[in-house]
Structure formats: C-alpha cells, structure tokens
C-alpha cells in the first residue's frame, strides 16, 4: 500500500518535469550559495586557527608586555635563573625582496613540547638551525614564493600557516634587526613550586592565558558575519522558490491525496510519504548544491583571500580544501530548508477534509486569509526593526535589524501590491483594462512568494550598491586627502635612509618621515605614527573632529590624534587621556577618518615619537615636490641608491593599489548579489511556469469572447513586467533603508567607521532595467506558449474532461 | 440565411493517429430561428459548435456566417467575429473569476463596443441576478453562474447565439426556466440560436432539431 501510494504521488512529477526541475534547481541554488559562503568561511577560519595554534598558543600561557612592546632578553635570563620554565619567542614582519613574511624565532633548546611545530631535533638538523646563516622553515606554498629571493636556506614543513617562516631566535633577531629583544615568553604547563613571583623578577610582564581564537579571528569576525548574512539572504530567497513549488505541487495533487485517503491510506502515512518524497529531493538537491557551492566558492576565494590580506593582514590560502563539515552542513541546511518551506503545505494536508469537493480556488482564498495574517506579521516585524534601531546596539543587533526590516518589507509587499492593483482597477477605463487589473490582483497569491524573493534580491542590490558607492565616493575623497605627498620611499637600512634623506633635502620641497611602532593601546593592537609639523598635514589630513590649533598641540608633544575606529571602539573623545606603549599618557586632540584599517592608530609629533621610542625604525619618508617633477625624482632616487622599483612609489600608484583592494573587498558581495538576483529571477520563472498551467480556465473565456491568443499573451507578458516594476519601486525605499542600516549601524559596529550616504538613482535605473529584463524573460516563455497554444487545448477547458 | 455549413470535415490528431470527428456536415440556420443539436457523447457536437464560433477551423468545407466564409480567416478576424457576431454559452468555466457579476455581465457587450446599461438592467432583472451583482462567480450557485453566462452573451446582442448544453448542470425545473428565458430573449433580440443538448425533451421545444451520429448528421 505504501509503495503504491508513493508511486501515485511521484507520478505527478513525471507529468510536470519543469516543476520538478524548478524545485530541485531552487533548492540546489539556495544550498549552493549558502555552502559557498560556508566553505569560504571555513577555509578562512581554519587558517586563523592554524595561525592561532602556532607554537601552541592555543594551549600554552604566555608572558607578554601589556603594551605589546618587545622585552629585553635579559628578562628571560632572570626568569630562568629564578626557576621559571619559559621559552623566548620573537616575531615580526619583514621583506625578502618583494615577499612580505612573518618571521617567528624560537629557541629549540627551551621550547615546550606543545609548541613543537617542526621536528628540528630530528637527525642532524639542529646544528645548522642554530648556527649562522640558519634555516627557514616554511609551508610548501610559502617556500615556493621564496625560491626567487635571497634568503637563508629554506626547508619545507607542513602545518605552518601561510606567509610565515620559522627560524632560530638568534637568526630572527638578526633578520628583524632586534638584537637582544624578544616578543614574548612561552610558559611550560608545569612550573616548579616555590619559584619567585613574577612581579619581583619581571615587573613589566603580565600573564596571558592560552586562547583558542587569535587576534585574526576576532578582527575578521565582522567580515565573516557579513558574508554569512549575505549567504543566508541568498538561501532565504532560494527557499521562496522551494516554498512556492511545493505549495503548488501539493495544491495540484489535492485530488490524488483525496483519492488515496478515500481508498484507505491513513493521513499519517500520507504525510510521511510526502515527507519521504521531500527528503529524497532535499538530499539530491543538497548534494548538487554543495558541489555547486564549491565551484562558486573557489571562484570567489581568491578575492576573499586578497581582501583579508589587504584589510586585515590575514593570510588565507587561495585554494579550497574539501571539508566534510561543509558537506554535512550543506545537506542539513537543504533538508531543514525543504521542511521549513513545506511545513505550511504539510500542515494543511493534515487538516484536509476528506469529502470537500475539489475547489481550484480554495488555495487562492486561503491565501487571502493568509494575506491578512501576513500584514499583521509585517507590521510587527517593521515595528521590531524600528525598536532595534532606537534601542539596540552591537553588531548582532545590527543584523537583527536588517533581518526584521527585510522580512517585514517582504511580508508587506503582497498587501501593498494588492492596494496598488485595486487602485489601478479603479482608474482603468474599458473592459479589457479592468479585467487586466482585476486578473493581475487574482494572480498575486500564486506569485507573491516569487515577488517577495524578487523584492529581497532587489532591495539587497539597491542597499549594497548604495553602501558600496557611498563608501567608494568617501574613500576616494579620503585617499586624496590622506595621500597628499607625491612620492613615498622606503630605504633598506637606516644608513641608506639617512643618505636618502640628505640627498633629497636639496632636490625636493619637503621630506616627511613616516615612522611608526606597533603596540597595544587600550588593550587592542594599534600603530603609533609620528608626523612632522608640516602644511601637508595641516591642509589635508581627514580630520573628523578636533580641538582648535590641533597641529600645534601635536607639534608641541602634548596631544595625540586617534583614528575613528579606535575612538568608537573605546568610546574615546576629545580631551580624553590614552596610555601609549611604554606607559606614557597623551590627551586626545583630534579624531580622523581611517577607512580600510582594521586596527587602531595614534598620531603624535615626530619628535615625541623618537623621544619615547628611540628604537623606531626610520626607513620610510614621504616626499613633497611639484607633481611634474615627481617622476624624474623617483627615477633619480632609484638610480642613485639602486632601490628596487617597489621602494619608490608615487601617489597615483598607491591610490590605484588602494582602490584595487577596495574593489576586491566588495567583489564578493557584488557576486553574491548578482547570484541572488538570478535566483529571484528563477523564482519568478518557476512560479509563472507553474501558474500558466492553472491559468487556462481564467483565460479561455476571454479568448472565447473575442481576444486573439497573441493579444492574451501580450497581456500576460505585461502582467509579469508590471508586477516586477511595482516590486522594483517598492525595493528602492527598502534598499535605501537597508543602506542606511549598513552605513550607520553595521559598518560602525563591524569596522568602527560611519560613512555619509550618497544616492545613485542611475544605478537604480540600471537595476530596474535588469529586473524588468529578468521578469520579461521569465514571463516570455509561458506567454509564448500561450500564443502558440492550439485552439483545441484551450477548448478542452470548456469540455467535461477537466 | 444567417448560417450555412457546407461539407465540413474535422480531424483531431491523437496518439493513435488522426481522428475523423466530423464527416461532410451540411447545415443552415435562419435569423430569428432556433436549432437543436443532439447526439451521443463523443459524436462531435461541441466540435461543430466550436467551428461555427470561430474557435477552431475545419479541415475541409465552408462556414458562411452572415454572408462571409469564415474558414481561412486569420486569428484577428476570427477574434473580431467572436467579439461582434456570435455569443457563446458553455456548460462550465464560462465566467471570468476575477470580475464580479456586474462586470461579467457587461464584459462582452463592452468588448464588442455595444454597451447598453438599460438593456443590462432589464437582463439582470429577468435573469434574477439583480441581487448578486457585486458577488464573484465562485460565490454563486451553478444555476446562477449559468444565468450570468447567458445574460453576458445576450447583453452583447449577438446575431447568433451558440449554447453548449447550457442547462446540463441544472436540475430539470431550473433547466426548463433557463431555456424559456433563452428562447424568449433570443426571440426579442431577433437572434438565431444553435443549442447543443442531450435532452430530446428540450430539443423538441426549438424550431428545428438535427441529430449527430458518429460525426454525421442523420
Ligand atoms: N482536442 C481534442 N483532441 C483530440 N480529440 C478530441 C479533442 N476534442 C475532442 N476530441 C474527440 O473528438 C470526439 C468528439 O468530441 P466532442 O467534444 O465534439 O463530442 P461531444 O459530442 O460534444 O460529446 P459530449 O456529449 O460528451 O460533450 C470525441 O471522440 C473526443 O474524444
Ligand atoms: Mg460536448
């Protein structure tokens, strides 16, 4: 009986292959976009974990200086003498030719076994490791990048994070130019009892507990949350297709359900059979979806990796590894999504009265009731959104606001469209026009899910493109202010730097040092820059708020400027005091815009910097010169000092590079946006195709009364276009609201900067054209089929056989 | 002669090859007269009606309606014919579900460019629909729906009314009443009526009666 029932149910799909294809396509696309985002996030997280786990940092406690500054090697010796089991580590960034790497120096003799990253002691490898010129261990892809460069011998070691080399601490100190300095001390897990307290031996150090998540994972959190939100949006849009496909398939099979019930199949068994059927589809589509997701992800990953490197300095490999977790999660989300999408239909089936006559319009009428409930839900959601906007705070609240706003708007759409179509009918003159509006209104329940999906996709497009374009505009203006010097030069050694400085003194208008140290400010990683007292800064720096005579106060050494993200994250304002690495304090005299930088930044006078940090590396300078002479000077510099090309960069070069990083940052969101729009177009197509089969009884009387099939087909096409156009109109305000939330709430929470909003109606017009094209294509196929329908097929409507 | 059919042949293509549904049909009908068409199920009655209405075309033969041969006319001309000259009443799926009764009643007349509110009012009264004008088709009984369909056709004052078992869904008493109405209204508007029916009793109340058997008139 069960088998017979299942065959009867499945035979439906053999009759309607297009409907089946749409269901599977919708589900696999939804799963694909979701899995793509998951695969990308998974890859990135895995590499953060690898970075966080390096040298056992996830399991070993460490001793560090609170301000992040380096520690004297003497401290290590004192601790060892006092009985502490510690091992020194130095780390820093450096360049080998044009390859920038993180150098990790370890002491193989005191290294705790938990921190054993590479088996150095194996065979006779220890001696070459600890004696000059030393050995660099690197992951295979990092080693490959180093083959062209002049470095100590490189050995390949699995398990190291990309972009990192491991070497002996003595070699590392030489490479990094930090003689007798260490960055931190690893603590062995078991320490002898009765050793002298830390405060006595090394007063400046604090204990940092092992942490699972490194700074990278924290810094990039918001980026990944962003991706996840978009993945989820795409998935939700896909589910709208699945929902409407399942709903229609259930509706069309009502007579079959009734017959099966009448023949003695219990309702429970029927529902279970349908769930089984859905599970088969979900698993099939899930497998295809995850596979597709990998394809999408590997297309997007290079951009994501570049973004993460450019924005956060996080090294993520550009290739994907296949993760079982992604497959499992993909299948699970496909199954859960299907069940969620089918819940309403299954519930209705459970309550299907056995004897009620088949009513082709019952579905539409139930939808009218649903419309009212939907309106209430929309109101509640929009009010919730308003409430969160008013009282909420934090990134999660920002995304909750987005979700409530989008879902509320989507649910309100059918109601709004019904109103507009009513009005259209009221204004219409002539029988055909009146019929057109009335009939369009009647189509709404069947199309509403596709239209809601379209609204979401369009609103996301309007919102994100407004956000990105606003950002771009602000960013370009900011770059012009920020990069006001004509040339930037980086020397290879301090001696060379001094020589360059002297050489330039005669040949340029000004030579401005760009020297900085890294450390911690208010517990977070930050960079401290020194600036010269020069008009370049006074005239151009992108100050957001400042006390009067701000540059004078920087020059005299009393004040510090901080970037917007540091101010927002720490709640700092003008006049507040901050403690800088080394323990000295400065008062905040201004806040400036610093887009695209994940960490905090502090600017002080150059003399103050040198006075507090005498070891600061003095390699970089900005050069002011008449723009027309810049190129000749750059050539002269390179020739005079034999500098590699990338050590002398002109303003335009940096701008191009910065804009490239900027564009790549939003490539992923743009791609997800286009894909979501595609999915929504497909939803529209699927719904129109399915509806077209049910529409003949509504169209045949009009045809019989004297309209040509071609005329009807045109009307059908216009109907699709009209609905898409109205949806696009509704999407614009929703998109603007979305952009506002992204700019004023999400960006502030995620990145720490707030951007002014600029509107670009030209972009909307382009999007509207695209939406109309998609809707036109979606409506064209059923319309074309209608135009080509044979009269005898239309006449069947009037015959008894229906 | 308002309607004249000459040697009409019609085939349907089916899975088992072409199906010869109508064989050399000759038929004529004068203005102001009514003709009943009976026959077994599947004998081709509906097919014949559809050909006359310009909904489908015959494979051979001629159909003269008001002096013009409508066979071979293009889609647009056939649509104009359906709009202006003939009126159709089917057994079911007659009405436009998205329009209310009043709009349904007026639809064809307005489409044909002959709106006549006074005549519509009379029709609604005579058909007993005055009280349901603001309802939608799905909110009517099948008898009421059928009366709306009849009213809609007659409102346009077509020269030829074609009805395919207009009372097939109704009980005998209602069916009789509806037929009375059709007949009297057709007479009043001076139109001709070609009606398909299963019932000899109803057929006998019309001016003439022809019988189809396996696609041939007998
Ligand atoms: N579109 C079609 N395609 C193929 N065959 C058809 C089509 N329409 C009707 N037929 C066949 O043509 C024959 C005549 O059909 P028609 O509908 O004209 O009969 P009818 O006399 O109206 O029957 P009923 O009294 O049952 O309405 C039947 O055998 C039917 O199966
Ligand atoms: Mg028939």
């Amino acid at each position: 009986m069960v088998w017979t029932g299942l065959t009867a149910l499945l035979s439906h799909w053999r009759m309607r292959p297009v409907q089946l294809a749409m269901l599977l396509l919708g589900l696999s696309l939804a799963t694909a976009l979701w899995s793509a985002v998951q695969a990308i996030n998974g890859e990135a997280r895995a590499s953060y974990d690898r970075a966080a786990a390096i040298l056992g940092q996830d399991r070993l406690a460490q001793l560090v200086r609170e301000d992040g500054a380096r520690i004297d090697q003497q401290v290590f010796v004192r601790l060892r003498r006092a009985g502490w089991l510690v091992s020194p580590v130095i780390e820093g960034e450096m360049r080998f030719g044009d390859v920038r790497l993180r150098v990790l120096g370890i002491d193989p003799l005191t290294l705790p076994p938990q921190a054993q990253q590479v088996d150095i002691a194996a065979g006779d490898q220890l001696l070459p490791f600890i004696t000059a010129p030393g050995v660099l261990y690197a992951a295979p892809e990092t080693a490959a990048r180093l083959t062209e460069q002049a470095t100590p011998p490189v050995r390949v070691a699995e398990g190291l994070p990309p972009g990192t080399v491991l070497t002996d601490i003595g070699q590392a100190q030489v490479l990094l130019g930090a003689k007798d300095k260490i960055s931190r001390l690893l603590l062995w897990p078991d320490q002898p009892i009765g050793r002298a307290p830390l405060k006595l031996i090394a007063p400046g150090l604090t204990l940092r507990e092992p942490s699972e998540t490194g700074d990278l994972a924290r810094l990039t959190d918001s980026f990944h949350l962003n991706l996840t939100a978009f993945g989820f949006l795409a998935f939700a849009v896909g589910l709208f297709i699945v929902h409407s496909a399942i709903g229609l398939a259930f509706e069309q099979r009502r007579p079959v359900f009734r017959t099966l019930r009448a023949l003695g199949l219990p309702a429970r068994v029927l529902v279970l059979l349908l769930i089984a059927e859905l599970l088969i589809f979900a698993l099939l589509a899930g497998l295809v979806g995850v596979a597709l997701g990998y394809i999408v992800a590997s297309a997007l990953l290079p951009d994501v990796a570049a973004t993460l490197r450019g924005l956060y300095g996080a090294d993520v490999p550009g290739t994907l590894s296949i993760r079982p977790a992604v497959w499992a999660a993909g299948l699970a989300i496909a199954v859960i999504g299907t069940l969620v999408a089918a819940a309403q239909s299954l519930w209705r089936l459970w309550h299907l009265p056995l004897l009620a006559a088949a009513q082709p319009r019952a579905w539409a009428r139930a939808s009218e009731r649903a419309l009212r409930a939907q309106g209430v839900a929309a109101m509640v959601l929009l009010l919730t959104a308003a409430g969160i906007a008013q009282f909420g705070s934090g990134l999660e609240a920002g995304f909750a606001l987005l979700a409530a706003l989008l879902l509320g708007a989507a649910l309100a759409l059918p109601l709004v469209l019904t109103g507009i179509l009513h009005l259209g009918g009221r204004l219409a003159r002539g029988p055909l026009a009146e019929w057109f509006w009335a009939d369009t209104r009647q189509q709404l329940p069947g199309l509403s899910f596709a239209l809601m999906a379209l609204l979401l996709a369009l609103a996301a497009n309007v919102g994100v493109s407004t956000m990105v374009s606003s950002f771009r505009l602000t960013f370009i203006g900011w770059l012009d202010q920020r990069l006001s010097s004509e040339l930037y030069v980086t020397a290879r050694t301090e001696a060379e730097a001094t020589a360059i400085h002297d050489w330039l003194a005669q040949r340029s208008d000004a030579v401005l040092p760009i020297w900085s140290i890294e450390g911690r400010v208010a517990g977070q990683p930050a960079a401290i820059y020194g600036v010269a007292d020069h008009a370049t800064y006074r005239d151009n720096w992108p100050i957001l708020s400042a006390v009067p005579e701000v540059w004078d106060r920087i020059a005299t050494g009393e004040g510090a400027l901080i970037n917007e993200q540091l101010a927002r994250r720490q709640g700092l304002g003008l006049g507040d005091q901050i403690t800088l690495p080394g323990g000295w304090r400065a008062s905040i005299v201004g806040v400036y815009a610093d887009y695209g930088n994940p960490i905090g930044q502090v600017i002080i006078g150059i003399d103050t910097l040198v006075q507090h940090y005498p070891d600061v590396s003095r390699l970089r300078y900005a050069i002011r010169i008449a723009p027309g002479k810049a190129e000749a000077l750059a050539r002269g510099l390179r020739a005079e000092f034999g500098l590699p090309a990338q050590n002398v960069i002109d303003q335009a070069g940096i701008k191009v590079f910065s804009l490239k990083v900027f564009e790549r940052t939003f490539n992923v969101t743009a791609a997800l946006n286009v894909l979501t729009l595609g999915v929504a177009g497909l939803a529209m197509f699927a719904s129109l195709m399915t509806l077209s089969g049910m529409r003949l009884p509504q169209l045949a009387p009009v045809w019989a009364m004297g309209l040509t099939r071609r005329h009807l087909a045109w009307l059908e096409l216009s109907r699709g276009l009209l609905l898409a156009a109205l949806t696009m109109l509704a999407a614009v305000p929703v998109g603007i609201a979305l952009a506002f939330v992204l700019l004023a709430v999400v960006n502030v929470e995620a990145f720490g900067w707030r951007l002014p909003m600029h509107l670009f109606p030209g972009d909307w017009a382009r999007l509207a054209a695209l939406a109309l094209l998609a809707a036109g294509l979606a409506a064209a196929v059923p319309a074309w089929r209608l135009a080509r329908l044979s009269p005898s097929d239309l006449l069947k409507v009037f015959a008894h056989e229906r | 002669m308002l309607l004249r059919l000459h040697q009409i042949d019609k085939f349907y293509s089916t899975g088992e090859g072409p199906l010869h549904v109508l064989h050399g049909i000759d038929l004529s009908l004068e203005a102001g007269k009514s003709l009943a068409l009976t026959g077994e199920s599947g004998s081709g009655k509906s097919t014949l009606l559809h050909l006359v209405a310009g909904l489908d075309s015959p494979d051979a033969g001629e159909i003269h309606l008001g002096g013009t041969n409508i066979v071979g006319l293009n889609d647009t001309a056939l649509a104009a014919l359906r709009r202006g000259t003939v009126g159709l009443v089917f057994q079911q799926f007659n009405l436009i579900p998205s329009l209310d009764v009043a709009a349904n009643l007026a639809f064809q007349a307005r489409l044909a460019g002959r709106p006549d509110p006074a005549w519509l009012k009379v029709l609604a009264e005579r058909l007993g629909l005055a009280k349901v004008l603001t309802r939608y088709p799905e909110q009517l009984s099948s008898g009421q729906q059928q009366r709306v369909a009849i009213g809609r056709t007659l409102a346009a004052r077509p020269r030829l009314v074609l009805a395919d078992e207009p009372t097939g869904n109704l009980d005998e008493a209602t069916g009789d009443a509806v037929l009375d109405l059709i007949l009297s209204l057709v007479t009043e508007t001076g139109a001709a009526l070609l009606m398909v029916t299963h019932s000899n009793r109803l057929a006998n109340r019309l001016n003439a009666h022809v019988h189809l058997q396996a696609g041939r008139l007998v």
Side-chain angles (χ1 to χ4, degrees):
Chain A
M1 177 176 76
V2 167
W3 185 243
T4 327
L6 195 59
T7 8
L9 289 175
L10 286 174
S11 65
H12 169 85
W13 300 106
R14 223 184 23 245
M15 306 275 297
R16 292 181 171 79
V18 176
Q19 205 180 347
L20 178 62
M22 284 304 141
L23 176 61
L24 292 178
L25 199 60
L27 197 51
S28 28
L29 280 182
T31 314
L33 293 185
W34 171 259
S35 306
V37 167
Q38 292 311 309
I40 289 173
N41 283 349
E43 197 61 52
R45 294 233 167 83
S47 80
Y48 307 151
D49 287 348
R50 238 178 297 148
I54 191 164
L55 299 182
Q57 284 174 64
D58 52 342
R59 280 165 296 160
L60 295 174
Q62 311 178 41
L63 296 177
V64 294
R65 266 176 66 152
E66 186 52 40
D67 58 20
R70 288 200 174 126
I71 309 167
D72 279 331
Q73 195 158 321
Q74 233 8 69
V75 177
F76 161 64
V77 179
R78 280 211 302 276
L79 280 165
R80 285 300 282 204
R81 288 212 186 106
W84 285 72
L85 288 176
V86 288
S87 178
V89 173
I90 184 162
E91 68 183 309
E93 299 251 319
M94 72 163 298
R95 249 174 215 291
F96 292 98
D98 51 6
V99 185
R100 203 176 166 77
L101 291 176
R102 195 156 79 105
V103 175
L104 263 182
I106 54 161
D107 172 22
L109 302 174
T110 57
L111 199 66
Q114 290 84 350
Q116 206 75 252
Q117 201 81 37
V118 179
D119 194 5
I120 296 155
D124 50 359
Q125 296 182 1
L126 186 59
L127 202 61
F129 187 76
I130 54 176
T131 50
V135 174
L136 299 183
Y137 282 94
E141 67 263 31
T142 317
R145 280 164 65 202
L146 284 172
T147 45
E148 305 272 284
Q149 314 298 340
T151 63
V154 176
R155 292 222 183 109
V156 170
E158 297 290 342
L160 283 169
T164 300
V165 291
L166 186 78
T167 186
D168 177 63
I169 188 156
Q171 307 306 324
Q173 284 168 336
V174 173
L175 286 172
L176 294 170
K179 203 164 155 33
D180 292 334
K181 291 280 179 193
I182 57 179
S183 301
R184 50 205 164 84
L185 292 154
L186 300 176
L187 274 175
W188 284 60
D190 300 312
Q191 297 285 337
I193 323 167
R195 62 202 197 283
L198 188 64
K199 269 212 201 83
L200 280 184
I201 317 161
L205 298 191
T206 53
L207 185 94
R208 198 193 291 164
E209 292 299 333
S211 94
E212 297 277 331
T213 49
D215 282 343
L216 273 186
R218 258 194 308 279
L219 275 177
T220 51
D221 231 10
S222 46
F223 180 82
H224 292 294
L225 191 60
N226 240 324
L227 274 189
T228 307
F230 274 100
F232 192 75
L233 179 70
F235 182 70
V237 168
L239 276 198
F240 280 110
I241 308 185
V242 179
H243 178 96
S244 65
I246 292 178
L248 287 168
F250 271 49
E251 201 46 45
Q252 289 168 339
R253 286 190 290 181
R254 236 166 222 268
V256 181
F257 297 160
R258 261 204 200 87
T259 313
L260 286 173
R261 293 285 312 279
L263 293 176
L265 197 74
R268 198 166 36 83
V269 178
L270 182 58
V271 168
L272 285 177
L273 281 178
L274 284 166
I275 291 180
E277 176 196 86
L278 289 173
L279 285 183
I280 297 173
F281 292 160
L283 289 176
L284 261 178
L287 283 175
V288 176
V290 179
L292 269 178
Y294 268 110
I295 296 175
V296 174
S298 41
L300 295 181
L301 193 62
D303 275 344
V304 175
T307 303
L308 288 169
R309 196 171 305 131
L311 212 50
Y312 303 100
D315 264 303
V316 171
T319 50
L320 275 181
S321 42
I322 304 285
R323 286 168 206 289
V326 171
W327 283 96
L331 289 182
I333 194 95
V335 167
I336 294 171
T338 310
L339 292 181
V340 167
Q344 193 192 16
S345 297
L346 286 169
W347 190 84
R348 276 200 204 145
L349 174 64
W350 186 264
H351 295 271
L352 180 74
L354 192 53
L355 280 177
Q359 287 174 311
R361 292 252 322 136
W363 177 64
R365 232 179 303 128
S367 298
E368 275 157 31
R369 240 177 297 123
L371 198 63
R372 242 167 293 135
Q374 222 172 300
V376 174
M379 280 302 290
V380 170
L381 278 167
L382 291 176
L383 286 177
T384 309
I388 300 175
Q390 197 65 38
F391 305 110
S393 71
L395 193 56
E396 280 74 16
F399 279 109
L401 170 54
L402 282 187
L405 174 71
L406 283 178
L407 200 59
L411 287 178
L413 179 71
L415 219 62
V416 172
L417 289 183
T418 308
I420 295 177
L421 294 177
H422 255 299
L423 194 71
R426 195 88 50 77
L427 297 176
R429 291 281 160 268
L432 262 188
E434 281 168 30
W435 169 73
F436 177 81
W437 288 97
D439 194 64
T440 307
R441 192 149 42 85
Q442 205 187 32
Q443 293 307 298
L444 214 48
L447 281 172
S448 67
F449 276 93
L451 291 173
M452 281 151 79
L454 188 64
L455 177 83
L456 285 184
L458 289 175
N461 257 290
V462 169
V464 170
S465 76
T466 303
M467 189 262 283
V468 173
S469 305
S470 298
F471 198 174
R472 186 182 292 117
L473 207 65
T474 313
F475 188 73
I476 291 174
W478 171 82
L479 273 182
D480 284 342
Q481 291 181 306
R482 185 78 183 250
L483 300 174
S484 43
S485 295
E486 284 71 25
L487 288 175
Y488 296 84
V489 58
T490 308
R492 288 162 295 191
T493 62
E494 300 235 347
E496 188 177 63
T498 316
I500 289 176
H501 184 263
D502 294 345
W503 187 83
L504 281 172
Q506 310 301 320
R507 296 173 172 81
S508 64
D509 300 342
V511 187
L512 308 168
I514 306 178
W515 301 340
S516 67
I517 62 134
E518 308 218 327
R520 285 184 170 257
V521 173
Q524 300 228 335
I528 292 93
Y529 278 80
V531 296
D533 185 9
H534 192 266
T536 303
Y537 303 106
R538 290 177 183 266
D539 298 345
N540 296 310
W541 204 251
I543 298 275
L544 295 174
S545 67
V547 302
E549 265 80 59
V550 52
W551 292 105
D552 294 339
R553 302 191 50 185
I554 294 288
T556 58
E558 334 161 22
L561 284 163
I562 61 173
N563 65 358
E564 184 186 3
Q565 39 274 57
L566 183 60
R568 286 192 191 272
R569 280 190 200 128
Q570 304 301 331
L572 295 170
L574 298 184
D576 291 342
Q577 295 274 321
I578 47 169
T579 307
L580 292 160
W584 66 285
R585 291 165 73 77
S587 125
I588 296 170
V589 294
V591 177
Y592 59 95
D594 188 19
Y595 305 120
N597 180 5
I599 65 170
Q601 206 176 71
V602 181
I603 287 182
I604 53 180
I606 188 76
D607 300 334
T608 325
L609 184 83
V610 174
Q611 173 196 332
H612 285 282
Y613 312 101
D615 299 345
V616 62
S617 94
R618 302 163 195 211
L619 299 177
R620 256 168 80 74
Y621 288 97
I623 305 166
R624 297 308 309 262
I625 186 166
K629 298 185 190 158
E631 209 190 311
L633 186 67
R635 248 182 287 122
L637 252 176
R638 289 194 195 102
E640 178 74 21
F641 296 94
L643 285 172
Q646 75 268 13
N647 282 34
V648 184
I649 313 175
D650 62 1
Q651 192 191 70
I654 300 193
K655 277 186 188 160
V656 166
F657 174 78
S658 305
L659 275 176
K660 217 159 68 191
V661 170
F662 178 89
E663 300 294 349
R664 291 193 89 160
T665 307
F666 294 104
N667 268 359
V668 184
T669 11
L672 281 177
N673 250 325
V674 169
L675 290 174
T676 310
L677 200 61
V679 172
L682 211 69
M684 184 100 179
F685 177 68
S687 303
L688 286 172
M689 281 304 272
T690 326
L691 276 182
S692 70
M694 302 166 66
R695 262 183 81 53
L696 288 186
Q698 295 151 21
L699 296 176
V702 187
W703 168 71
M705 273 183 281
L707 245 59
T708 59
R709 282 162 290 167
R710 197 205 293 226
H711 194 165
L712 280 177
W714 274 115
L715 289 174
E716 288 291 282
L717 189 66
S718 331
R719 204 185 313 274
L721 290 176
L722 172 73
L723 288 174
L726 291 176
T727 306
M728 177 66 208
L729 277 184
V732 169
V734 179
I736 293 176
L738 180 70
F740 178 78
V741 175
L742 285 172
L743 289 169
V745 181
V746 173
N747 264 321
V748 177
E749 297 292 345
F751 304 111
W753 54 72
R754 184 180 175 140
L755 299 160
M757 180 154 83
H758 301 277
L759 298 181
F760 299 86
D763 286 357
W764 306 341
R766 206 152 356 111
L767 184 64
L770 201 66
L772 288 182
L773 185 71
L777 285 178
V781 177
W784 187 77
R785 290 211 313 193
L786 177 65
R788 305 293 311 264
L789 202 64
S790 77
S792 67
D793 282 329
L794 271 162
L795 284 170
K796 274 186 196 148
V797 169
F798 301 110
H800 308 292
E801 23 190 306
R802 271 191 67 89
Chain B
M1 199 61 62
L2 178 63
L3 174 69
R4 196 165 59 78
L5 272 62
H6 178 67
Q7 287 296 309
I8 292 297
D9 270 281
K10 176 68 182 172
F11 295 85
Y12 281 126
S13 52
T14 67
E16 300 98 51
L19 179 70
H20 201 166
V21 186
L22 294 176
H23 299 261
I25 303 287
D26 287 311
L27 191 90
S28 46
L29 179 60
E30 269 178 66
K33 292 283 190 251
S34 61
L35 174 63
L37 179 60
T38 55
E40 282 174 13
S41 181
S43 55
K45 308 182 294 292
S46 296
T47 304
L48 186 61
L49 212 62
H50 295 156
L51 295 180
V52 172
L55 291 168
D56 207 351
S57 349
D59 293 293
E62 293 169 9
I63 301 174
H64 293 272
L65 194 58
T68 30
N69 182 6
I70 67 167
V71 175
L73 289 183
N74 65 14
D75 246 17
T76 318
L78 285 176
L81 174 87
R82 296 198 296 272
R83 244 184 350 255
T85 314
V86 298
L88 280 153
V89 184
F90 293 105
Q91 183 177 339
Q92 54 183 347
F93 294 106
N94 266 312
L95 304 180
I96 300 171
S98 52
L99 298 179
D100 65 11
V101 169
N104 259 294
L105 274 176
F107 193 80
Q108 180 151 22
R110 295 175 66 196
L111 211 55
R114 295 195 287 266
D116 185 348
W119 171 228
L120 261 180
K121 207 156 169 260
V122 172
L123 274 174
E125 286 294 335
R126 297 273 299 273
L127 290 161
L129 295 170
K131 289 213 176 62
V132 295
L133 286 176
T134 55
R135 291 207 209 157
Y136 282 83
E138 63 181 48
Q139 298 164 317
L140 299 181
S141 73
S142 42
Q144 285 171 321
Q145 289 191 26
Q146 203 56 319
R147 278 180 276 155
V148 177
I150 292 163
R152 181 185 63 191
T153 300
L154 295 175
R157 299 178 188 272
R159 291 164 65 196
L160 174 61
V161 174
L162 301 168
D164 196 348
E165 299 186 48
T167 60
N169 267 346
L170 309 178
D171 63 69
E172 198 167 285
T174 321
D176 280 354
V178 166
L179 184 62
D180 285 342
L181 247 170
I182 297 181
L183 285 174
S184 63
L185 290 172
V186 164
T187 320
E188 280 170 39
T189 54
L193 170 69
L194 174 55
M195 184 178 90
V196 169
T197 178
H198 267 115
S199 150
N200 276 321
R201 191 176 58 80
L202 293 181
N204 288 333
R205 298 186 45 197
L206 272 57
N207 298 133
H209 177 181
V210 288
H211 189 74
L212 256 182
Q213 197 166 6
R216 294 172 210 273
L217 280 182
V218 292

